[in-house]
């Protein structure tokens, strides 16, 4: 059914193909865009192309950035002896938001997943090992608490082997403010296993 | 806090300025776009600019379209003696999806709202009256069932005055499949007032 004329349909379809945007949101967005000042729309379009064109991997940590070094790696105040390993740039941003982590990162761009056919060679693992030049004292593995994240964590532990580097894993447990009643059993068991002295 | 580098921040900010897209979705979208093939991103950007540049009002019904006449007005099989008045192009699309309405439309592009300072002159009301050339037999007012929609409906009723045109209003009541228990009192009263013989 052709609800709108050609260009509007095309716009709705293109928007609806983006993740998390359903057909209703796509329509709402399309009409919002059509109603926006022309220069705002051109700027938005330019921003899309510009970001796609110029974003690359940070030379050190492999997060997505538009310069040779990302803001974290470019910051001389960061402690380069501690590397937090995350699955993607959004996870890096999540930890940056806490404002408390002073080390640097390493972005894997994925996690090992036999189900999806993603092997160790498909993510930035050998690039992580290359960074262990003797100045690195600790690797904090902050992959997701999923099957893939855990597999990747175990794999990194094995990969580091006998190198004189501490390998740690962020804690898994009950989220702060979480109500026990609504938390899944696996998480409850993890919280129990990971209990600490008071 | 600069979580990402320049171009990524700009993209996230531009996306987050769109309606219904929060900061989290904007980040997810931005990274999805950065990961898309370059030609797909350029096509999306082009579609945005193209739609904004070429979309105009249908000469007859004022819906947004990219041709002189919208698909409905261009369709000679539609019954031009019945005009359904809607607030915007999305409402038109909602009725088109039913596939049962055979008349044409008139898009007001808003509703009278003293609160927002939108008066009768700010929406396509005089354009509606201009269309009443003697061939139109019925105006079905399908503005929203809100204060603004009702005000606009009453205003149109007054505006049409003694012209030999039937002016009707779509029914207001309990939505099909709706559970009485969860429906607001105003709707329940409307449904009672609008009751019909069985």
């Amino acid at each position: 059914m052709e609800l709108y004329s050609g260009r509007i349909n095309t716009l709705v379809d293109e928007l609806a193909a983006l993740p998390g945007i359903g057909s209703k949101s796509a329509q709402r967005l399309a009409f919002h865009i059509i109603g926006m000042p022309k220069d705002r729309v051109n700027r938005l379009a330019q921003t899309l192309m510009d970001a796609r064109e110029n974003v690359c991997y940070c030379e050190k940590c492999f997060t997505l950035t538009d310069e040779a070094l990302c803001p974290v790696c470019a910051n001389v105040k960061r402690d380069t002896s501690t590397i937090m390993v995350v699955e993607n740039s959004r996870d890096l941003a999540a930890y940056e938001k806490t404002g408390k982590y002073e080390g640097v990162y390493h972005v894997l761009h994925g996690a090992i997943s036999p189900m999806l056919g993603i092997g160790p060679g498909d993510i930035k693992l050998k690039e992580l090992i290359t960074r262990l030049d003797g100045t690195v004292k600790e690797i904090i593995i902050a992959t997701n608490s999923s099957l893939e994240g855990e597999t990747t964590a175990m794999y990194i532990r094995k990969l580091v082997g006998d190198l004189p580097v501490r390998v740690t894993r962020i804690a898994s447990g009950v989220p702060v403010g979480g109500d026990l009643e609504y938390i899944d059993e696996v998480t409850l068991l993890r919280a129990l296993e990971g209990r600490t002295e008071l």
Side-chain angles (χ1 to χ4, degrees), chain A:
Chain A
M1 194 168 24
E2 289 282 299
L3 290 181
Y4 305 111
S5 57
R7 287 188 176 87
I8 305 182
N9 279 326
T10 310
L11 180 57
V12 171
D13 292 347
E14 288 266 355
L15 293 172
L18 295 173
I21 298 190
S23 127
K24 286 263 171 194
S25 317
Q27 287 178 48
R28 197 154 48 107
L29 274 176
F31 283 103
H32 177 85
I33 288 164
I34 290 166
M36 267 161 59
K38 210 173 286 185
D39 61 321
R40 281 272 296 115
V41 176
N42 292 346
R43 200 174 74 203
L44 173 60
Q46 202 53 54
T47 304
L48 292 174
M49 294 189 286
D50 199 38
R52 176 62 187 83
E53 186 70 36
N54 293 293
V55 167
C56 55
Y57 292 138
C58 167
E59 281 174 9
K60 281 198 180 161
C61 76
F62 295 90
T63 192
L64 293 165
T65 181
D66 60 357
E67 279 166 293
L69 288 182
C70 73
V72 174
C73 288
N75 183 344
V76 292
K77 287 188 193 145
R78 303 295 289 237
D79 167 17
T80 55
S81 71
T82 308
I83 298 181
M84 179 184 282
V85 181
V86 292
E87 293 186 18
N88 58 52
S89 297
R90 274 170 293 152
D91 295 346
L92 181 159
Y95 257 103
E96 274 304 278
K97 264 185 219 153
T98 66
K100 296 289 183 197
Y101 177 67
E102 299 184 335
V104 293
Y105 296 90
H106 185 84
V107 180
L108 295 173
H109 292 285
I112 296 170
S113 170
M115 289 268 290
L116 298 173
I118 302 173
D122 299 319
I123 60 177
K124 308 281 180 202
L125 276 173
K126 69 171 189 298
E127 290 83 352
L128 170 63
I129 301 306
T130 311
R131 293 178 71 182
L132 306 179
D133 57 0
T135 63
V136 177
K137 293 196 189 109
E138 182 174 358
I139 296 181
I140 302 169
I141 308 181
T143 50
N144 287 332
S145 184
S146 61
L147 180 61
E148 293 76 16
E150 296 298 349
T151 306
T152 308
M154 298 308 291
Y155 193 90
I156 294 174
R157 171 63 277 188
K158 226 174 60 184
L159 213 56
V160 174
D162 296 333
L163 288 178
V165 177
R166 211 177 143 205
V167 180
T168 57
R169 178 87 174 104
I170 55 167
S172 190
V174 177
V176 178
D179 193 331
L180 286 200
E181 192 181 347
Y182 298 111
I183 290 171
D184 67 285
E185 293 148 39
V186 182
T187 302
L188 289 178
L189 285 176
R190 280 284 184 81
L192 185 61
E193 285 164 16
R195 66 194 181 276
T196 53
E197 294 295 340
L198 269 190

